[in-house]
Amino acid sequence: MATRRLTMAQALLGFLKNQYVERDGVEHRFFEGAWGIFGHGILAGFGQALQQNPDFPYYLCRNEQAAVHIATAFAKSRLRLSTFACISSIGPGATNMITGAATATINRIPVLLLPGDIFARRNVAPVLQQLEHEMSQDISVNDAFKPVCRYWDRINRPDQLPCAVVEAMRVLTSPAHTGAVTLALPQDVQAEAWDYPEEMFEKRVWHIPRTPPEPVMLARAAEMIRAAKRPLIIAGGGVLYSQAWEALAGLVQRTGIPVGETQAGKGALSFDHPANLGAIGVTGTPGANIAAREADVVIAIGTRLSDFTTASKTAFQNPAVRFVHINVAEFDAAKHAALPLIADARAALEQLTNALAGYSVEPAYSEAVARWRAQWAQEAERIFQLRHGPPISQGEVIGAVARAAQPEDVVVNAAGSLPGDLHKLWPTRKPGGYHMEYGYSCMGYEIAGGLGVKMADPSRQVWGMVGDGSFLMMSAEIATSIQEGYKLNLVVVDNHGFSSIGGLSRATGSGGFGTDYRRRTATGLDGDYVPVDFVALCAGLGAHAVRARTREELEQALAEMRTHETTTAVVIEVDKEQRVPGYESWWDVPVSEVSEIDSIRQARKAYEEAVKKERRHEIRARS
Ligand SMILES: Cc1ncc(C[n+]2csc(CCOP(=O)(O)OP(=O)(O)O)c2C)c(N)n1
Ligand SMILES: [Mg+2]
């Protein structure tokens, strides 16, 4: 057998370079390089391998968590067909990646994490940044990746590597099981040489299947839908990952079944498609939520059915409601006692369209859909034209950004009050035009994520909408965007704290306690706002930044931002209390059962009423 004498790190890199995926006959290089930050735990091993392999680019970021967000956003934008590896030193560099790992895994996005690890040989322990355990020498901080990853391994000997890398690729390329994968790399083993089989470095193409639905189950699903008077589709992220948007449009065109979109699924249909009721769930539009409440058959496609989508299981109130669930993952397809169609979304939708030939919803339902859509268009326009303040309302800011954006542009966001407002209001025209990380809703994702989105398709302008809280958590990747020459347009929405959590605190009777950025006084955090100059912060990191004080100034700034070559930012203060309302929905956030505060006792009463609407779909007899 031909072999090549390489260090473990060189062999790992040699393997990663040659991994490809193929779907529908089109090949994609799976790893576009590695993001990370060097330290003693990675630099002389994998770092050295990177140095001698310039065809596997190394990207230096400012925070390891951001590296994973960049990779995640990139892979999400590339519909999971390519990604990055993320490397770190041992200790804090590694644990910084844990939040990123959880973000990737919850969103089912492939990223490969390569944290350095403590010496396998152990004799020099404890090394710098090694957290020792008295009960075992076989534990390091990298064990903390296990619950947030879909596959985890530690390469304690160079000859373990071939076994580990193929398992890593199996998981990363599995539509159902993908997420973060960790291969922990002990510092000494990275530098150890072994005679690796040449075959390990041959080009390998991993086929991404389009699993068809089982014919029996397809027939049963079609039968169930044919009997439905008020069917509703919930389009999740799986519709996008499967590139099933045309198949979905084909099915709804033939059948007239309306569609509600989850955060991950938004953009499955253009916002102006006549069957698109828009956002569904806690952050949904009235039409989608009324349709959900009355639906007799709900066809879920590629969704985790999170509490935001199901309104904490209060969304579906028709006593006869039944669920069909198209999903590559058995785990999701079985939720709500659904009839499971374990299949690729596109394959299933194409076959379902044929199986439903001749079926369409009754005209009265289609008329209701058209009415809901028209009413929502009016409501969105009311919010965009509010002319509140200054400070203006966040809804008006979204309207202004949407008007400045072109159909192919991408809006990026993750946490705060913006996800709910954008879910309802952003007029997505093209798949991928709406990039929301709302599985982990991880503050700090926006700027790093925006960079990943931009790298995935530099021809699209990226609008990163960032709350002041999210910005303060992680903004240093602005400098990385300048370093790499990938331009971002950032809209920093300053409301001096947490509009989202502040509003939630009020709704649960706590009056906004601890949610404003105010100076401490003798009575608590109730002084003046803490002054933070976001224009100076953005400019200090290398962006072109301006402040807008009025709607007109904002519109002018947005128009100019498009034309700049490097990262730009506009900072706008908004009125935290002028919120976009919620519609026909509810979210379960338990309120204290006993309290000394009257407003909490009141909120508890309302809570006890609302929680009664929660349904137990999962315990019904299976369809
Ligand atoms: C890392 C992280 N910590 C805490 C939270 C909980 N949380 C959700 S939204 C939010 C406030 C976000 O503030 P900002 O970005 O200013 O948005 P706003 O609510 O003002 O719109 C917090 C603390 C979170 N989602 N992520
Ligand atoms: Mg804020």
Side-chain angles (χ1 to χ4, degrees):
M1 183 176 64
T3 59
R4 214 188 286 179
R5 191 153 183 85
L6 295 170
T7 67
M8 183 269 267
Q10 291 160 356
L12 172 55
L13 195 151
F15 175 84
L16 298 181
K17 254 188 352 190
N18 286 299
Q19 302 310 301
Y20 290 76
V21 298
E22 168 274 314
R23 184 166 73 182
D24 305 325
V26 183
E27 270 183 21
H28 309 261
R29 189 180 184 186
F30 194 61
F31 295 104
E32 295 261 340
W35 278 94
I37 297 179
F38 290 153
H40 64 280
I42 196 85
L43 139 120
F46 201 83
Q48 186 278 324
L50 282 165
Q51 190 186 14
Q52 69 180 44
N53 284 280
D55 56 342
F56 192 82
Y58 172 58
Y59 298 96
L60 169 60
C61 62
R62 303 298 182 271
N63 178 323
E64 294 87 352
Q65 180 184 331
V68 189
H69 292 332
I70 293 167
T72 304
F74 178 88
K76 181 175 160 112
S77 301
R78 290 280 183 95
L79 306 176
R80 315 194 297 195
L81 298 169
S82 50
T83 186
F84 286 102
C86 297
I87 64 165
S88 78
S89 191
I90 73 167
T95 49
N96 268 357
M97 295 204 291
I98 289 176
T99 298
T103 307
T105 296
I106 203 168
N107 286 288
R108 313 272 170 80
I109 303 294
V111 292
L112 176 63
L113 309 181
L114 304 173
D117 210 330
I118 57 174
F119 279 59
R121 123 165 90 81
R122 293 178 178 162
N123 62 322
V124 289
V127 296
L128 178 66
Q129 300 172 328
Q130 174 171 352
L131 192 158
E132 292 174 280
H133 289 260
E134 286 174 48
M135 49 80 69
S136 171
Q137 295 187 60
D138 198 25
I139 299 176
S140 82
V141 293
N142 285 343
D143 288 83
F145 280 95
K146 287 176 183 171
V148 294
C149 284
R150 301 306 300 264
Y151 180 79
W152 185 98
D153 209 346
R154 181 181 278 129
I155 316 300
N156 277 316
R157 293 161 41 137
D159 55 346
Q160 283 175 351
L161 186 69
C163 303
V165 286
V166 291
E167 287 303 299
M169 283 305 296
R170 174 183 62 76
V171 173
L172 287 167
T173 60
S174 159
H177 299 294
T178 194
V181 163
T182 295
L183 298 180
L185 309 178
Q187 190 183 334
D188 49 347
V189 186
Q190 285 176 51
E192 276 173 34
W194 189 60
D195 295 313
Y196 286 93
E198 275 293 344
E199 278 182 319
M200 191 176 155
F201 311 109
E202 284 169 12
K203 177 175 172 180
R204 194 176 295 213
V205 184
W206 299 76
H207 174 68
I208 311 276
R210 288 203 177 275
T211 308
E214 207 187 335
V216 180
M217 298 307 266
L218 180 79
R220 277 198 219 165
E223 192 188 334
M224 219 162 107
I225 297 166
R226 277 178 185 282
K229 297 261 178 274
R230 294 251 157 180
L232 173 71
I233 289 171
I234 299 178
V239 175
L240 295 171
Y241 302 137
S242 152
Q243 294 172 287
W245 46 83
E246 278 165 23
L248 177 64
L251 182 129
V252 302
Q253 198 190 332
R254 300 264 180 90
T255 60
I257 302 175
V259 176
E261 294 175 326
T262 72
Q263 287 277 19
K266 189 171 159 80
L269 293 180
S270 174
F271 87 104
D272 52 7
H273 190 288
N276 195 352
L277 290 171
I280 195 163
V282 180
T283 53
T285 64
N289 287 339
I290 295 169
R293 194 156 65 219
E294 297 172 357
D296 50 3
V297 172
V298 174
I299 306 154
I301 313 171
T303 164
R304 297 184 304 124
L305 292 173
S306 78
D307 64 348
F308 261 75
T309 300
T310 69
S312 300
K313 304 272 164 90
T314 65
F316 314 108
Q317 290 295 333
N318 184 332
V321 66
R322 287 281 184 279
F323 298 84
V324 172
H325 198 151
I326 300 169
N327 209 301
V328 284
E330 265 180 38
F331 176 64
D332 291 309
K335 289 174 180 172
H336 289 211
L339 185 150
L341 277 190
I342 318 285
D344 167 69
R346 190 159 103 188
L349 282 168
E350 284 168 357
Q351 294 199 20
L352 196 56
T353 304
N354 292 336
L356 289 174
Y359 167 82
S360 71
V361 300
E362 288 169 2
Y365 190 35
S366 298
E367 283 156 24
V369 170
R371 204 167 48 246
W372 287 324
R373 282 184 42 76
Q375 285 166 351
W376 176 248
Q378 253 182 9
E379 173 67 353
E381 204 47 29
R382 180 191 71 79
I383 293 164
F384 290 159
Q385 303 303 344
L386 207 56
R387 303 259 165 204
H388 180 81
I392 72 173
S393 65
Q394 184 161 285
E396 287 171 89
V397 174
I398 293 171
V401 179
R403 282 192 299 279
Q406 297 292 312
E408 66 279 4
D409 290 5
V410 188
V411 68
V412 180
N413 185 250
S417 57
L418 278 162
D421 295 1
L422 288 165
H423 192 206
K424 283 177 272 220
L425 293 170
W426 186 261
T428 316
R429 290 184 175 86
K430 297 263 169 71
Y434 182 82
H435 185 113
M436 180 65 64
E437 188 287 287
Y438 209 64
Y440 214 41
S441 189
C442 186
M443 284 170 77
Y445 178 90
E446 289 87 348
I447 295 171
L451 179 53
V453 172
K454 184 69 180 173
M455 289 183 83
D457 186 352
S459 73
R460 295 176 93 163
Q461 291 250 4
V462 172
W463 298 91
M465 296 198 68
V466 198
D468 54 325
S470 226
F471 184 98
L472 289 172
M473 208 170 271
M474 209 189 310
S475 50
E477 303 313 318
I478 289 175
T480 311
S481 81
I482 305 288
Q483 163 192 305
E484 297 298 334
Y486 287 108
K487 182 216 170 179
L488 305 176
N489 302 306
L490 302 175
V491 181
V492 182
V493 182
D494 184 9
N495 53 21
H496 312 286
F498 309 159
S499 170
S500 51
I501 301 298
L504 185 62
S505 165
R506 287 195 173 78
T508 52
S510 288
F513 169 70
T515 60
D516 271 358
Y517 290 135
R518 290 181 185 275
R519 287 185 205 264
R520 184 168 297 284
T521 71
T523 47
L525 284 180
D526 56 5
D528 296 340
Y529 286 131
V530 180
V532 176
D533 186 343
F534 290 97
V535 174
L537 289 175
C538 291
L541 289 165
H544 178 273
V546 295
R547 183 181 314 283
R549 289 185 183 77
T550 61
R551 180 178 169 133
E552 288 67 33
E553 284 183 14
L554 175 66
E555 285 171 343
Q556 196 186 336
L558 292 168
E560 283 169 13
M561 284 162 77
R562 273 204 90 79
T563 65
H564 280 264
E565 294 285 306
T566 56
T567 294
T568 62
V570 61
V571 179
I572 177 104
E573 187 182 350
V574 299
D575 183 345
K576 190 186 314 185
E577 303 307 331
Q578 185 57 51
R579 295 187 171 83
V580 176
Y583 304 90
E584 309 279 348
S585 199
W586 183 72
W587 188 30
D588 189 339
V589 178
V591 180
S592 293
E593 203 167 346
V594 292
S595 172
E596 293 166 9
I597 301 169
D598 185 53
S599 59
I600 292 186
R601 289 196 294 268
Q602 296 303 322
R604 174 71 193 187
K605 266 191 209 150
Y607 175 78
E608 283 175 8
E609 269 316 297
V611 84
K612 288 181 188 159
K613 290 219 171 86
E614 289 183 6
R615 303 276 315 270
R616 303 300 301 255
H617 305 294
E618 73 280 7
I619 57 170
R620 298 181 72 154
R622 277 182 189 263
S623 308

